């Protein structure tokens, strides 16, 4: 997993590329979410345009990020979800949990 | 037609991307539709994740084996590890709700069952698990 | 680190694209540069083409095996077929000029020799050929 | 191999996609070249933008097309050659035989 963080209005966009599937990725993602919350940044968009596929472990990493942020009155929304990731969201009904966007502007606007 | 493809790789996450590529290639060469292809690939990745993580416990030197073959009206994928196995009969009776966000893990077997037409767990006679994933041909375009 | 990847596929051209994908993934995971990666992939494809075509003569039921491993400072790829082999010692003395456009074929071994640091042919004790392709680590970025 | 043929000025552009590596591809390509020569169409551009890689057998197919066309006072030039195919051309010195272009307009213009 490679992770780049940038800000737009009051939201933080995390651009993830490569693999999101467990091992070190879980710790790294959790640490970043905690750091953002400490800094008072709780409106998160995870941009998955650079992630072709993910396993359920990777999905679990996002879920933990989501619940942590929600507990802190924030949110975690998904941007540019591939077909494969969408299939996982649907089959697990996690599509009802995660708000998903194809358009970055709309994702940012949803936090206004 | 003999269409058996065999693959063996070390118990490390880094090889799962290769498995995804191979699944895509094998299933499309065997004539599966794009959506069946995605479901097969996602499920084989789940089975391999379990094999390397829970089965082989990521121990250096252990290998995961994957065999793909087309059997008349079915695509059959077998995933082998060399671990101690688990009580799958009990687990299959109590698969947790995958939409429960209070659990970080525990969605792999649910996903495989939902996406495949058949999912078979077997303890190997000596040591290790064999997981068989079957997708029927009515998903073939 | 145990980084052995094993692959087996039927003697048909249709699987060469998969070999190309695997070569790309294995060599980049093993840390090779992009240009070394291209040379390894091209050469392994040539060795597999020969294995399925000249070795196994595309006979149904025959398999080509490929083993990738990193050995200290080298990437080693072994390609096996189950054919009758050929007089490679003689052939290696008389490799045709690859730029001679009057020949449609006969460039595979030239390309492998040019792109790899070492190319070793062996007749297997029982039946079949083993071709070993080695790329040195000084090409690693 | 999938092959589409189209014309631009006095040249025929063959758009190849997928695999070019022997077996049935050799016969198909030879037949097309013979048909084009029969029809008096001898200025050929082979567009390889849809071919990620090729083996030496595929290269041999192009060489046979080239020599057949040259014997008939035509030519075969290459367009959009991938890195891998370029490596094969260089190592075999066939880059001295095949004219290669990255730009379709320039390739077509070269036949004027
Ligand atoms: N190949 C295997 N070897 C041993 N245990 C396994 C294997 N596959 C699955 N399991 C057990 O089944 C449980 C559920 O697996 P799964 O649904 O994929 O979720 P997760 O891997 O996230 O725990 C695992 O936690 C593990 O205990
Ligand atoms: N694995 C093999 N088994 C049997 N013969 C082989 C094998 N590899 C190569 N050869 C022989 O070596 C010759 C040269 O191979 P190569 O340089 O790859 O060119 P080509 O395959 O186009 O003929 C082949 O024509 C074949 O006779």
């Amino acid at each position: 997993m490679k992770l780049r963080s940038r800000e737009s209005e009051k939201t933080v966009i995390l651009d993830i590329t490569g693999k999101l599937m467990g091992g070190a990725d879980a710790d790294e993602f959790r640490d970043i979410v905690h750091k953002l919350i400490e800094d008072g940044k709780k409106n998160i968009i995870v941009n998955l345009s650079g992630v072709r596929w993910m396993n359920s472990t990777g999905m679990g990493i996002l879920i933990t990020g989501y619940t942590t942020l929600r507990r802190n009155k924030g949110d975690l929304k998904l941007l540019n979800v591939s077909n494969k990731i969408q299939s996982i969201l649907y089959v697990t009904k996690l599509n009802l949990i995660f708000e998903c966007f194809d358009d970055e502007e709309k994702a940012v606007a949803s936090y206004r | 037609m003999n269409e058996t493809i065999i693959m063996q790789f070390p118990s490390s996450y880094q090889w799962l991307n290769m498995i995804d590529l191979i699944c895509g290639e094998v299933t499309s060469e065997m004539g599966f539709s794009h959506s069946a292809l995605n479901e097969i690939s996602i499920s084989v990745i789940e089975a391999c994740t379990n094999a390397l993580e829970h089965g082989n416990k990521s121990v250096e030197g252990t290998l995961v084996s994957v065999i793909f073959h087309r059997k008349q009206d079915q695509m059959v994928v077998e995933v082998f590890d060399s671990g101690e196995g688990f009580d799958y009969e009990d687990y299959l009776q109590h698969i947790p709700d995958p939409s429960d966000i209070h659990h970080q893990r525990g969605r792999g077997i649910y996903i495989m069952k939902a996406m495949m037409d058949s999912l078979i767990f077997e303890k190997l006679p000596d040591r290790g698990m064999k997981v068989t994933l079957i997708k029927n041909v009515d998903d073939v375009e």
Side-chain angles (χ1 to χ4, degrees), chain A residues 3-20:
Chain A
L3 205 147
R4 203 170 60 108
S5 162
R6 59 199 166 89
E7 305 198 14
S8 176
E9 300 183 8
K10 293 167 307 184
T11 73
V12 173
I13 302 171
L14 299 176
D15 299 304
I16 299 189
T17 46
K19 305 159 184 174
L20 185 62

PDB file of all heavy atoms in Angstrom, chain A residues 3-20:
ATOM      1  N   LEU A   3       0.331   5.448   0.356  1.00  0.00           N
ATOM      2  CA  LEU A   3      -0.720   6.350   0.809  1.00  0.00           C
ATOM      3  C   LEU A   3      -0.246   7.802   0.730  1.00  0.00           C
ATOM      4  O   LEU A   3       0.822   8.143   1.218  1.00  0.00           O
ATOM      5  CB  LEU A   3      -1.058   5.981   2.253  1.00  0.00           C
ATOM      6  CG  LEU A   3      -2.455   6.331   2.747  1.00  0.00           C
ATOM      7  CD1 LEU A   3      -2.911   5.304   3.748  1.00  0.00           C
ATOM      8  CD2 LEU A   3      -2.453   7.706   3.340  1.00  0.00           C
ATOM      9  N   ARG A   4      -1.033   8.628   0.084  1.00  0.00           N
ATOM     10  CA  ARG A   4      -0.729  10.059   0.006  1.00  0.00           C
ATOM     11  C   ARG A   4      -1.929  10.793   0.589  1.00  0.00           C
ATOM     12  O   ARG A   4      -3.076  10.425   0.339  1.00  0.00           O
ATOM     13  CB  ARG A   4      -0.552  10.456  -1.460  1.00  0.00           C
ATOM     14  CG  ARG A   4       0.265  11.710  -1.705  1.00  0.00           C
ATOM     15  CD  ARG A   4       0.569  11.845  -3.191  1.00  0.00           C
ATOM     16  NE  ARG A   4      -0.671  11.938  -3.956  1.00  0.00           N
ATOM     17  CZ  ARG A   4      -1.102  13.068  -4.530  1.00  0.00           C
ATOM     18  NH1 ARG A   4      -0.408  14.179  -4.422  1.00  0.00           N
ATOM     19  NH2 ARG A   4      -2.224  13.078  -5.221  1.00  0.00           N
ATOM     20  N   SER A   5      -1.669  11.809   1.371  1.00  0.00           N
ATOM     21  CA  SER A   5      -2.762  12.537   2.011  1.00  0.00           C
ATOM     22  C   SER A   5      -2.792  13.970   1.490  1.00  0.00           C
ATOM     23  O   SER A   5      -1.760  14.610   1.354  1.00  0.00           O
ATOM     24  CB  SER A   5      -2.525  12.515   3.530  1.00  0.00           C
ATOM     25  OG  SER A   5      -3.271  13.514   4.162  1.00  0.00           O
ATOM     26  N   ARG A   6      -3.982  14.450   1.130  1.00  0.00           N
ATOM     27  CA  ARG A   6      -4.112  15.851   0.715  1.00  0.00           C
ATOM     28  C   ARG A   6      -5.441  16.388   1.217  1.00  0.00           C
ATOM     29  O   ARG A   6      -6.303  15.614   1.622  1.00  0.00           O
ATOM     30  CB  ARG A   6      -3.992  15.998  -0.808  1.00  0.00           C
ATOM     31  CG  ARG A   6      -5.014  15.218  -1.587  1.00  0.00           C
ATOM     32  CD  ARG A   6      -4.580  15.022  -3.031  1.00  0.00           C
ATOM     33  NE  ARG A   6      -5.415  13.996  -3.640  1.00  0.00           N
ATOM     34  CZ  ARG A   6      -6.579  14.243  -4.264  1.00  0.00           C
ATOM     35  NH1 ARG A   6      -7.036  15.481  -4.372  1.00  0.00           N
ATOM     36  NH2 ARG A   6      -7.289  13.261  -4.780  1.00  0.00           N
ATOM     37  N   GLU A   7      -5.572  17.725   1.240  1.00  0.00           N
ATOM     38  CA  GLU A   7      -6.783  18.314   1.797  1.00  0.00           C
ATOM     39  C   GLU A   7      -7.543  19.107   0.750  1.00  0.00           C
ATOM     40  O   GLU A   7      -6.950  19.696  -0.154  1.00  0.00           O
ATOM     41  CB  GLU A   7      -6.428  19.211   2.995  1.00  0.00           C
ATOM     42  CG  GLU A   7      -5.630  18.434   4.039  1.00  0.00           C
ATOM     43  CD  GLU A   7      -5.589  19.069   5.408  1.00  0.00           C
ATOM     44  OE1 GLU A   7      -6.381  19.989   5.682  1.00  0.00           O
ATOM     45  OE2 GLU A   7      -4.742  18.620   6.212  1.00  0.00           O
ATOM     46  N   SER A   8      -8.856  19.074   0.867  1.00  0.00           N
ATOM     47  CA  SER A   8      -9.703  19.862  -0.008  1.00  0.00           C
ATOM     48  C   SER A   8     -10.859  20.345   0.854  1.00  0.00           C
ATOM     49  O   SER A   8     -11.591  19.543   1.423  1.00  0.00           O
ATOM     50  CB  SER A   8     -10.219  19.004  -1.158  1.00  0.00           C
ATOM     51  OG  SER A   8     -11.124  19.736  -1.954  1.00  0.00           O
ATOM     52  N   GLU A   9     -11.003  21.697   0.973  1.00  0.00           N
ATOM     53  CA  GLU A   9     -11.974  22.292   1.886  1.00  0.00           C
ATOM     54  C   GLU A   9     -11.744  21.695   3.285  1.00  0.00           C
ATOM     55  O   GLU A   9     -10.619  21.679   3.768  1.00  0.00           O
ATOM     56  CB  GLU A   9     -13.414  22.071   1.380  1.00  0.00           C
ATOM     57  CG  GLU A   9     -13.617  22.693   0.008  1.00  0.00           C
ATOM     58  CD  GLU A   9     -15.046  22.555  -0.505  1.00  0.00           C
ATOM     59  OE1 GLU A   9     -15.933  22.112   0.238  1.00  0.00           O
ATOM     60  OE2 GLU A   9     -15.274  22.922  -1.679  1.00  0.00           O
ATOM     61  N   LYS A  10     -12.797  21.182   3.903  1.00  0.00           N
ATOM     62  CA  LYS A  10     -12.604  20.668   5.272  1.00  0.00           C
ATOM     63  C   LYS A  10     -12.415  19.160   5.293  1.00  0.00           C
ATOM     64  O   LYS A  10     -12.598  18.516   6.318  1.00  0.00           O
ATOM     65  CB  LYS A  10     -13.828  21.042   6.128  1.00  0.00           C
ATOM     66  CG  LYS A  10     -13.980  22.538   6.386  1.00  0.00           C
ATOM     67  CD  LYS A  10     -15.359  22.818   6.961  1.00  0.00           C
ATOM     68  CE  LYS A  10     -16.420  22.212   6.048  1.00  0.00           C
ATOM     69  NZ  LYS A  10     -17.808  22.480   6.413  1.00  0.00           N
ATOM     70  N   THR A  11     -12.065  18.593   4.138  1.00  0.00           N
ATOM     71  CA  THR A  11     -11.923  17.136   4.101  1.00  0.00           C
ATOM     72  C   THR A  11     -10.488  16.731   3.764  1.00  0.00           C
ATOM     73  O   THR A  11      -9.744  17.486   3.137  1.00  0.00           O
ATOM     74  CB  THR A  11     -12.864  16.499   3.057  1.00  0.00           C
ATOM     75  OG1 THR A  11     -12.337  16.782   1.762  1.00  0.00           O
ATOM     76  CG2 THR A  11     -14.266  17.060   3.148  1.00  0.00           C
ATOM     77  N   VAL A  12     -10.152  15.526   4.223  1.00  0.00           N
ATOM     78  CA  VAL A  12      -8.845  14.965   3.895  1.00  0.00           C
ATOM     79  C   VAL A  12      -9.064  13.820   2.911  1.00  0.00           C
ATOM     80  O   VAL A  12      -9.887  12.940   3.143  1.00  0.00           O
ATOM     81  CB  VAL A  12      -8.127  14.436   5.149  1.00  0.00           C
ATOM     82  CG1 VAL A  12      -6.845  13.702   4.768  1.00  0.00           C
ATOM     83  CG2 VAL A  12      -7.818  15.582   6.095  1.00  0.00           C
ATOM     84  N   ILE A  13      -8.341  13.876   1.787  1.00  0.00           N
ATOM     85  CA  ILE A  13      -8.433  12.803   0.800  1.00  0.00           C
ATOM     86  C   ILE A  13      -7.190  11.930   0.917  1.00  0.00           C
ATOM     87  O   ILE A  13      -6.063  12.431   0.830  1.00  0.00           O
ATOM     88  CB  ILE A  13      -8.557  13.375  -0.625  1.00  0.00           C
ATOM     89  CG1 ILE A  13      -9.797  14.278  -0.695  1.00  0.00           C
ATOM     90  CG2 ILE A  13      -8.641  12.255  -1.656  1.00  0.00           C
ATOM     91  CD1 ILE A  13      -9.901  15.073  -1.978  1.00  0.00           C
ATOM     92  N   LEU A  14      -7.407  10.651   1.147  1.00  0.00           N
ATOM     93  CA  LEU A  14      -6.288   9.700   1.200  1.00  0.00           C
ATOM     94  C   LEU A  14      -6.249   8.950  -0.132  1.00  0.00           C
ATOM     95  O   LEU A  14      -7.161   8.183  -0.443  1.00  0.00           O
ATOM     96  CB  LEU A  14      -6.483   8.718   2.358  1.00  0.00           C
ATOM     97  CG  LEU A  14      -6.538   9.323   3.778  1.00  0.00           C
ATOM     98  CD1 LEU A  14      -6.835   8.221   4.806  1.00  0.00           C
ATOM     99  CD2 LEU A  14      -5.226  10.015   4.117  1.00  0.00           C
ATOM    100  N   ASP A  15      -5.221   9.195  -0.915  1.00  0.00           N
ATOM    101  CA  ASP A  15      -5.061   8.477  -2.187  1.00  0.00           C
ATOM    102  C   ASP A  15      -4.272   7.208  -1.913  1.00  0.00           C
ATOM    103  O   ASP A  15      -3.093   7.262  -1.567  1.00  0.00           O
ATOM    104  CB  ASP A  15      -4.287   9.331  -3.189  1.00  0.00           C
ATOM    105  CG  ASP A  15      -4.998  10.628  -3.522  1.00  0.00           C
ATOM    106  OD1 ASP A  15      -6.165  10.557  -3.948  1.00  0.00           O
ATOM    107  OD2 ASP A  15      -4.397  11.707  -3.356  1.00  0.00           O
ATOM    108  N   ILE A  16      -4.922   6.083  -2.081  1.00  0.00           N
ATOM    109  CA  ILE A  16      -4.239   4.808  -1.843  1.00  0.00           C
ATOM    110  C   ILE A  16      -3.907   4.177  -3.181  1.00  0.00           C
ATOM    111  O   ILE A  16      -4.730   4.167  -4.096  1.00  0.00           O
ATOM    112  CB  ILE A  16      -5.139   3.854  -1.038  1.00  0.00           C
ATOM    113  CG1 ILE A  16      -5.441   4.497   0.323  1.00  0.00           C
ATOM    114  CG2 ILE A  16      -4.492   2.496  -0.860  1.00  0.00           C
ATOM    115  CD1 ILE A  16      -6.130   3.576   1.280  1.00  0.00           C
ATOM    116  N   THR A  17      -2.690   3.663  -3.325  1.00  0.00           N
ATOM    117  CA  THR A  17      -2.363   2.895  -4.527  1.00  0.00           C
ATOM    118  C   THR A  17      -1.752   1.567  -4.109  1.00  0.00           C
ATOM    119  O   THR A  17      -1.170   1.439  -3.037  1.00  0.00           O
ATOM    120  CB  THR A  17      -1.376   3.633  -5.450  1.00  0.00           C
ATOM    121  OG1 THR A  17      -0.310   4.151  -4.653  1.00  0.00           O
ATOM    122  CG2 THR A  17      -2.039   4.776  -6.177  1.00  0.00           C
ATOM    123  N   GLY A  18      -1.907   0.581  -4.984  1.00  0.00           N
ATOM    124  CA  GLY A  18      -1.313  -0.728  -4.762  1.00  0.00           C
ATOM    125  C   GLY A  18      -2.199  -1.629  -3.949  1.00  0.00           C
ATOM    126  O   GLY A  18      -3.406  -1.650  -4.113  1.00  0.00           O
ATOM    127  N   LYS A  19      -1.590  -2.382  -3.062  1.00  0.00           N
ATOM    128  CA  LYS A  19      -2.277  -3.467  -2.384  1.00  0.00           C
ATOM    129  C   LYS A  19      -2.845  -3.014  -1.048  1.00  0.00           C
ATOM    130  O   LYS A  19      -2.179  -2.323  -0.303  1.00  0.00           O
ATOM    131  CB  LYS A  19      -1.296  -4.621  -2.188  1.00  0.00           C
ATOM    132  CG  LYS A  19      -0.673  -5.060  -3.514  1.00  0.00           C
ATOM    133  CD  LYS A  19       0.622  -5.824  -3.359  1.00  0.00           C
ATOM    134  CE  LYS A  19       1.221  -6.121  -4.733  1.00  0.00           C
ATOM    135  NZ  LYS A  19       2.553  -6.727  -4.644  1.00  0.00           N
ATOM    136  N   LEU A  20      -4.045  -3.439  -0.740  1.00  0.00           N
ATOM    137  CA  LEU A  20      -4.628  -3.187   0.580  1.00  0.00           C
ATOM    138  C   LEU A  20      -5.170  -4.536   1.008  1.00  0.00           C
ATOM    139  O   LEU A  20      -6.249  -4.960   0.594  1.00  0.00           O
ATOM    140  CB  LEU A  20      -5.748  -2.145   0.467  1.00  0.00           C
ATOM    141  CG  LEU A  20      -6.378  -1.677   1.777  1.00  0.00           C
ATOM    142  CD1 LEU A  20      -5.352  -0.989   2.666  1.00  0.00           C
ATOM    143  CD2 LEU A  20      -7.525  -0.715   1.509  1.00  0.00           C
TER     144      LEU A  20
END
